[in-house]
Amino acid sequence: MIQVEGVAEVTDGTFDAEVLGASLPVLVEFTADWCGPCRQLAPVLGAIAAEEGDRIKIVQIDVDRNPGITSRYAVLSMPTLMVFRSGEPVKSMVGARPKRRLLQELEEVLPAAV
């Protein structure tokens, strides 16, 4: 899996605690080693994690090694980005996108900046 600074990896075993139990909203990237757009998205997620780490937690999950969570949320395309808040999915996006566009799409689910 593509390692990105500031973006933690979750698994079928840690997903509920790390994502559903998080106090901040969590952006989950469903990714795979063979996914070209996922590689394009990696630096974007790293930059957002560095800039917005106080408002959102960003994690990634490898769909090939974690089929349980992947099927639980009916993820079929990579990359799929899902935002979870208070243990519930509140937004889903499919495909890579530039940083500015992703930040705009996340704005409605992020807490106000302090």
Side-chain angles (χ1 to χ4, degrees):
M1 187 155 71
I2 305 144
Q3 296 298 315
V4 182
E5 189 172 335
V7 179
E9 180 178 355
V10 295
T11 64
D12 280 351
T14 62
F15 186 88
D16 288 359
E18 292 289 325
V19 176
L20 305 184
S23 56
L24 288 175
V26 182
L27 173 63
V28 180
E29 179 199 20
F30 290 84
T31 187
D33 287 334
W34 46 263
C35 168
C38 299
R39 283 191 287 279
Q40 292 175 326
L41 191 57
V44 171
L45 295 178
I48 292 173
E51 292 171 22
E52 300 290 343
D54 57 335
R55 297 200 303 155
I56 191 165
K57 176 180 179 178
I58 302 178
V59 299
Q60 58 187 8
I61 186 165
D62 186 300
V63 298
D64 293 326
R65 292 195 302 248
N66 299 282
I69 296 299
T70 303
S71 63
R72 183 195 300 179
Y73 293 102
V75 173
L76 301 173
S77 300
M78 296 331 116
T80 291
L81 301 169
M82 279 190 185
V83 180
F84 290 81
R85 192 167 53 201
S86 302
E88 297 295 323
V90 295
K91 186 169 186 74
S92 182
M93 303 161 277
V94 176
R97 57 231 324 116
K99 178 180 158 193
R100 188 166 48 120
R101 181 169 157 217
L102 181 54
L103 282 170
Q104 287 171 341
E105 292 176 295
L106 291 173
E107 205 51 49
E108 67 190 50
V109 295
L110 290 180
V114 284

